[in-house]
Amino acid sequence: MTNRVLTGLLGLVLTCVSFPRDVMGQSSVHTTIQRVQQRMVKVFGAGGIRRLHSYSTGFVVSPAGHVATVWSHVLDTEELTVVLADGRKVRAKVLNAEPQLDLAVLELQAEDLDLPSWDLEADSSDAGPGTRVLGFSNMFRVATGDEMVSVLHGVVAAKAPLATRRGAFETSYEGTAFIVDAVTNNPGAGGGVLTTRSGRLLGMIGKELRNAESNTWVNYAVPIAELKQPIQQIISGQYKARQREPDETEAKARFRPLEFGIVLVPDVLLRTPAFIDRVQPGSVAAKVGLRPDDLVLFVNGDLVQSCRVFKQRLGRIESGGVLKLTVRRGDKLVPVELPVPEKSATPGDNK
Amino acid sequence: MIAAKRVSGCVVLVLGLAMILVPSVAVGQQAESDLEAREEKAFKEASAVVAPSVVRIQTVGGLDRVGRVLTGTAATTGVVVSADGFVISSAFNFVSRPSSVLVTLFDGRRFPAKIVANDRARMLTLLKIEADGLSVPRVAARKDFRVGQWAIAMGRTYESPLPSLSVGIISALDRIWGRALQTDAKISPANYGGPLVDIRGQVIGVLVPLSQRQAGRTAGVEWYDSGIGFAIPMSDILGTLPRLKTGTDLLPGLMGITLKAGDVYASAAIIDRVRFNSPAEKSGLKPGDIIASVDGQPIRRLVQVRNALGNKYAGDTITVVVRRDKASVEQKIELTGKLEPYTPTFLGILPTRKKPGEMANGVVVRGILPESPASVAMIRPGDRVVQLDETPVTDAAVLFDVISRRRVGEKVTVHVDRGGARQSLVAKLAVVPTEVPAVLESEFITAPDPKPADLPKTGRFNQNLPGHDQNFWAYVPENYNPARGFGLLVWIHPGSDTKEADIHDLWKPVCDERGLILVGPRAKEIAGWNLNEAGFIEAMVKHMQEKYNIDDQRIVLHGFSDGCRFAYHLAFKYRSLFRGVVASSEPLKLRPPENRPDLRLQFFLSCGDKDNLYRQVQQTRSRLAAMKFPVTLTSVPGDGHDYPPIPVLDTIGRWIEMLDRI
Amino acid sequence: MGPLCMAAAMLLAVLPQTGWAVDPAVLAAEAKRIGVASRLAPSVVAIFSRGGQGGGSGVLISPDGYALTNFHVTRGAGTFMKCGLNNGQLYDAVIVGIDPTGDVALVKLLGRDDFPHAVLGDSDTLQVGDWTFAMGNPFLLATDFQPTVTYGIVSGVHRYQYPAGTILEYTDCIQVDTSINPGNSGGPLFSAAGQLVGINGRGSFEKRGRVNSGAGYAISINQIKLFMDHLRSGRVVDHATLGATVTTREDGAVVVDGILDDSEAFRRGLREGDEIVSFGKRPVRSVNQFKNILGIYPKGWKLPLVFRRDQSRTETMLRLRGLHRVSELTGPSKPKPGRPGKPGQPKRPSRSRRPVAKPPEKYKHLHIKKSGFANYYFNQQEQKRTLAGMSRLGDFGGASGAWVLAGKTAAGETYQLTVAGTGVGLSWKQKAYFQELKSADPLDEPKGSGGLLYAMHMWRTFLAQREKGFGEFYYLGSEPLDGVGDRVDVVISELGNVRCRWYFDRKEARLLGFDSRREEDADECEVRLSGDNQSGGRHWPKTILVRSAGKVLASFGVETVTIRTEAAK
């Protein structure tokens, strides 16, 4: 069995483990909805100009009045207001935020609230494709005062990284997300929650994002498993914002195809395929039997869709390691391994 | 082997779990949520059954933009249709014409794939990989489809070992002229090409974007995730599979007729035109025939004709029954995939332009074009054309319509009134000439005297458009006279340079001489035009038509360099609005549309012969000519990528002057 | 271990020859839904305008062809339109009544008296999370008239959606995630059980242009029920206002922040700063809720209002006033460009400039133009129905002399009421009241009666001359008598400034009484007639109850009725 199948199996595991739990939670959807809605709040803050909405959603994570929500421009104000499920208006301030998770935790400026709130340990769950879900948010600011936030139904479409390419999205969140088949990510929906039909918390609805790979809006939620710890730490005041790891392309040596004896075809289009034009005699490329007209498809397992991407990937490989290439030769896929020469890191070297 | 053992061992366990699920709980809400849990389990099982037949498709190379649609680079989806390596997918997934296609199976094995053939009616693409023993899904029979049944859409876009799911119901059958069924599951590039599966784990169909108003691989994409999605029934696909496997594309079947416009849901299907050399013509269909049935399906309204033809391919033979003066005529017609383009016909007269409210009785000849059929036939300026063959001619529109229904090389008898005497002259219709005469009189226009108080603005001015956050500048000759129809020249500026001052100074004399109004819309972003600004241009033209007396035969788009791209887009989008395109120093990137007899469109290209784009512009000329559009190319010796010099502008002036030639 | 096996087992299920079978309960539920969908589809209407270039959806609600749709769908379609049903047939339809504010229109499909039709449900029983079907013709896909069926849940109830550029306002509406797209407009929202609970009309489209983005809105069927007879009247129907505006106080209470001093609410004592406790028997906790309650009632209905000032709590019954001027309702209703961020109506935009088709010959008699009416023809029909019972009362036209009614009030005082062509007189409690008719304006005689004497003149005019006696005369619709009783048919008469509302029992078309208003914004004289008192071949009431401004003036028992010729007077 290949690794892929194993991962496949693990994927299936997810699908299943979450499943019996939901069955045991025999509560009706209506009671689920009422229960969840009591734990949702409407957040009003900055924005309003140039179609930037000035509202979003949040969910109560402590009876004392801590609210988890999405980190966005809405919070960028002194005048932050939270409207509770029962219609009460309460002032709030940002306690702390984790931009890499698009997460912020608010503190309500009111005494002894004792709100119905989520128990991030007991109420959380996990799910895989096909699991029925509900999305709760104040999308489009439909609800005001004590009106309940909107509820959408759907299933988990996939649990996967938002995109395989860097910069596919304008979001700092790079982990796996619940992608759903309901249109959850609308204006103001950020900070809403995704739950199972029995009301178990799965994730926090994220910002509106357009998938740069398919140019479509995606509907997703950041798994609560990712958020649980930071939220609890922020509340207890022990949280330290994560260090963004430096862009690896800086740290690593920059390699160019020529250094392996590979000459690519002229890169004329935006997506010129990475066809090998010439192989320098005696080069490592020649030794492993690469030939002209071979099409480079994978670098260390990642698909390269053009000369440009191929060069970028080479720019990122570790020096002294092994470069795994898969080329298409006629109707065959041919894997080859090339030794990567030792080379000291030379940031900003553009030769 | 070990795996197999483990598997067999587990069946029991599964059954065990099933037991846990089954116990009958209290009725009401409990039962309801129990049912929903059971349904959830059923979704997962049905999709798991099909999963091994759902493959991941990745492409390499190709275009990054097709028309308005930015083509994605994300992985897409396909469905195995034969154990020996045939995979069906949505044509949308290959719109970028990739140079290499890869297929990844459920178990992770990866194969290079060949594109075998396309179904251009149902927008499908057949792939072949060199593999065997693939898992072919069970197929649901078309007769079992029911509106309201579960429909599960599966895709392979995401970096996940499992296919993605979206759950909905079948919303309707026989959509898009009977080609597809409709679902409210969320359909998007994330699952185009993937299967739509029923609750029993059988494939209902293959997901594709479709639209009943446009054709093309990207049509219908704008509806992604809207709850309006389409799937081509798998049982239909299996029917055409043998033809696709031979490697020949399947094209929508064409008859070669156009129907009289009317209420598409109420009016009868009356044939208006029959295309030359088309199957319809060969089988003897005639204008005026009323289509009574197609393949036995009765036709009572326009829309039913398309519904009846939607599922027919080129090469299919259909039986059409038409009513012709009370008799009913039955014809067998073999449909074609490609029609000979319509060739515009040409008599060679310039009609006198009608003044507003003027009662027209015939067409007074304003001028005769040199070496034209009209001049050979000795028709003279001042003659009043009153009849063509049997058809009485009331005005230029009628004359143009009659001529457009005849063919190049045909003889027509033109009945003219010359100084009270009736004369009948015979002319042999020709093709529309491409050269522009060196001299061409323009009608002499003077400003109204005295100027009426309500005379609209003249000279150069800026104008805002109500309801739009964009504006334009205009130049209206001082001699503007509402009693005369003026031409409208729409200047589409290139990116990052509106050239307003130059364009105004260069064109002012031409406009004054030729009775042209010049308008210069300004792009939202100076960097260049966005396709969604088309609506603003249309609104601007309509605004000018309301304010001024615009001759609708002489509304022309003019672009230079990359401005032409937008100009071409506008010309093809608003066929009924624009009559000409003047494109300087820029080739045509879009596919030219069909040449329509009723909505004529003429082109004037210019380019410096030292311009890098010169060859491409020449190719543009031949592409347009191949579609039988009247197209003129003027090359400017020694010029590079420059705006055309004054002599060329004078030529353009004369070209616009004769746009209403018949 | 367990999970791993489970996973492997699911892989196993992949092999065709496993004994895997679908849970019968799931199949049964699916079959049930398929059945409901196919049962409902025949009642769904595809409405076409501009030669099929534009259009929307609708739903049949009666066998004789009455169908509901959106006003913004019919606006583009003209007075006659073509409608397709899923039997593949195309029917002509004519406009009946419109509610431009509520975005509802009633049309009538023609040519059958056995149309399949939907059953009206109770939208107030809908809960968030309930499954619903939406049916209609999104993007005009139904070239074969088969509706598009989408299935989703209720996302919110009692929603309020601001006017989007036009006067269209969605109050107390139903929010669904069931896919609603352009062209769904006017189509039905059904409950899972297949009852009609709403008319889909709108969506939050700002995100992706004219494509569903997860939020659709339906006008609740319960609101439409309140307007149904008004719509059948063929009129341009108006919504209501209280004559007061409200705002939310810091503590969340809803208080009056502006009030017209000529409004009935003002006359009943409502003032700025008063707290609205409940309205229409529903508690008010937000401005949206107040608008929601107001929005579902037609102009002219009476609603109970409870308001609080300091500790005092006042409960009163108010007649709602009109929200718009007729010109606003009937004028060029071109939508202004909707403010960004505001929802738009999902109507198929039409490219063609094709003129509206002219009426089919055989049906053109079914449309009569009259200002203030969408189609006066249907008002005539309703007048006929409502006044059918009047002839049974006898020929009052013949009673040309003075009518003298005498007897005792409930309080035991004797009275004599003389209603003559020249004037009306009343002697009661040693006082004499007189209303001169030839020259004098309508008086409030006796004081505080709201003009009883003139009201008696109106009564006589109505009995003797019917519509001929008045300037304006039309069928209004129906409403609960005095805001609390059974629904009664209402006919309006106008003579000079005097406006009367005539109430008829809906079963026997019996005249129950009337309200007479001397002038704009004056309190009405409410007259209620009961009992049957035969005299001279005519049916007179046994008692005449007179009220005004919520106070009872007297209940006059009619013992004798004599007709004196004018001369003898």
Side-chain angles (χ1 to χ4, degrees), chain C residues 324-448:
Chain C
H324 300 96
R325 293 187 305 281
V326 179
S327 60
E328 289 178 290
L329 292 170
T330 53
S333 40
K334 271 218 185 68
K336 301 165 222 123
R339 282 164 292 169
K342 290 279 168 285
Q345 292 83 34
K347 169 147 180 291
R348 192 79 179 66
S350 124
R351 280 184 230 75
S352 138
R353 303 265 173 294
R354 207 183 303 261
V356 174
K358 63 172 174 33
E361 262 319 302
K362 64 192 276 208
Y363 291 129
K364 64 176 203 276
H365 67 283
L366 296 180
H367 182 258
I368 301 176
K369 267 178 93 115
K370 190 172 195 289
S371 124
F373 292 81
N375 185 349
Y376 187 65
Y377 170 85
F378 286 91
N379 197 271
Q380 289 177 330
Q381 304 307 306
E382 295 303 315
Q383 285 184 42
K384 273 205 203 75
R385 181 181 61 78
T386 310
L387 299 178
M390 288 301 290
S391 50
R392 278 187 266 121
L393 296 181
D395 169 25
F396 289 85
S400 52
W403 303 355
V404 182
L405 289 70
K408 284 197 176 56
T409 66
E413 312 120 355
T414 56
Y415 76 93
Q416 179 175 315
L417 175 70
T418 308
V419 188
T422 49
V424 183
L426 171 69
S427 58
W428 173 40
K429 295 202 273 183
Q430 289 76 43
K431 282 210 198 67
Y433 308 90
F434 187 66
Q435 167 76 57
E436 214 273 316
L437 291 175
K438 285 280 172 293
S439 55
D441 290 340
L443 311 167
D444 182 15
E445 280 294 337
K447 285 273 166 294

Side-chain angles (χ1 to χ4, degrees), chain B residues 26 219 391 514 609:
Chain B
T391 319
R514 299 282 171 189
D609 63 1

Side-chain angles (χ1 to χ4, degrees), chain A residues 9 12-13 16 30 33 51 139-140 142-144 146-153 183 185-186 197 208 217, chain C residues 3 6-7 10-11 127-131 152-153 155 159 175 177 204 206-207 213-215 217 285 288-289:
Chain A
L9 291 172
L12 282 160
V13 177
C16 316
H30 296 104
I33 289 172
R51 287 181 147 267
M139 58 183 200
F140 302 112
V142 178
T144 66
D146 66 349
E147 294 161 355
M148 293 297 159
V149 296
S150 302
V151 186
L152 303 179
H153 86 286
V183 193
N185 297 52
N186 276 312
R197 283 187 84 93
E208 294 177 86
W217 294 99
Chain C
M6 180 60 192
M10 292 193 71
L11 276 186
Q127 279 180 286
V128 174
D130 287 352
W131 289 99
I153 65 164
S155 300
R159 293 302 201 197
Q175 181 194 350
D177 74 354
S204 292
E206 54 263 47
K207 178 172 181 179
S213 192
Y217 304 93
R285 288 190 312 278
N288 276 5
Q289 281 167 351

Side-chain angles (χ1 to χ4, degrees), chain B residues 10 38 45 148 171 224 301, chain C residues 5 20 23 33 88 149 208:
Chain B
C10 290
R38 288 154 173 260
E45 289 173 350
S171 295
Y224 80 87
R301 26 181 182 268
Chain C
C5 279
W20 171 73
D23 185 332
R33 187 175 62 238
V149 180
R208 282 182 50 190

Side-chain angles (χ1 to χ4, degrees), chain B residues 336-544:
Chain B
T336 177
K338 202 169 183 315
L339 294 167
E340 220 170 277
Y342 162 78
T343 312
T345 46
F346 180 64
L347 179 57
I349 71 167
L350 295 165
T352 301
R353 286 163 192 153
K354 214 168 90 198
K355 297 184 181 59
E358 182 182 45
M359 259 315 292
N361 51 344
V363 174
V364 177
V365 177
R366 171 173 108 242
I368 297 292
L369 289 158
E371 292 114 42
S372 67
S375 72
V376 175
M378 309 292 283
I379 300 173
R380 299 200 209 125
D383 287 356
R384 177 187 301 275
V385 179
V386 292
Q387 188 180 328
L388 194 122
D389 290 338
E390 280 64 51
T391 319
V393 171
T394 51
D395 60 13
V398 174
L399 180 59
F400 173 71
D401 181 71
V402 186
I403 297 287
S404 75
R405 289 168 185 276
R406 310 303 296 274
R407 263 175 222 136
V408 172
E410 279 185 16
K411 283 198 166 61
V412 292
T413 311
V414 186
H415 305 272
V416 302
D417 175 324
R418 185 175 295 165
R422 176 101 166 209
Q423 302 214 11
S424 301
L425 308 159
V426 175
K428 185 153 165 290
L429 297 181
V431 296
V432 182
T434 57
E435 60 284 346
V436 180
V439 187
L440 190 59
E441 286 304 313
S442 64
E443 35 175 4
F444 178 67
I445 305 173
T446 51
D449 186 29
K451 284 200 179 198
D454 60 351
L455 193 74
K457 268 189 261 177
T458 59
R460 181 179 173 180
F461 57 88
N462 288 319
Q463 183 68 48
N464 289 320
L465 208 51
H468 294 266
D469 52 359
Q470 260 174 297
N471 64 358
F472 64 94
W473 66 275
Y475 171 74
V476 180
E478 292 302 341
N479 67 345
Y480 171 74
N481 188 330
R484 302 304 186 92
F486 272 63
L488 186 69
L489 183 62
V490 182
W491 161 244
I492 304 298
H493 66 72
S496 68
D497 178 10
T498 62
K499 292 186 169 294
E500 274 176 37
D502 308 3
I503 294 300
H504 170 266
D505 300 348
L506 286 166
W507 278 96
K508 187 175 181 303
V510 185
C511 292
D512 294 340
E513 181 195 357
R514 299 282 171 189
L516 296 176
I517 292 175
L518 176 63
V519 285
R522 299 183 175 115
K524 261 213 190 74
E525 275 124 33
I526 180 71
W529 292 95
N530 181 327
L531 293 186
N532 62 27
E533 292 174 78
F536 162 67
I537 306 289
E538 184 197 22
M540 177 194 69
V541 172
K542 297 220 180 302
H543 170 85
M544 293 304 285

Side-chain angles (χ1 to χ4, degrees), chain B residues 340-345 431-432 593 595-596 601 603 621-631:
Chain B
E340 220 170 277
Y342 162 78
T343 312
T345 46
V431 296
V432 182
N595 190 1
R596 287 183 53 176
L601 188 57
F603 297 84
R621 192 247 314 260
S622 24
R623 281 179 72 198
L624 290 167
M627 300 295 293
K628 304 296 182 189
F629 283 105
V631 50

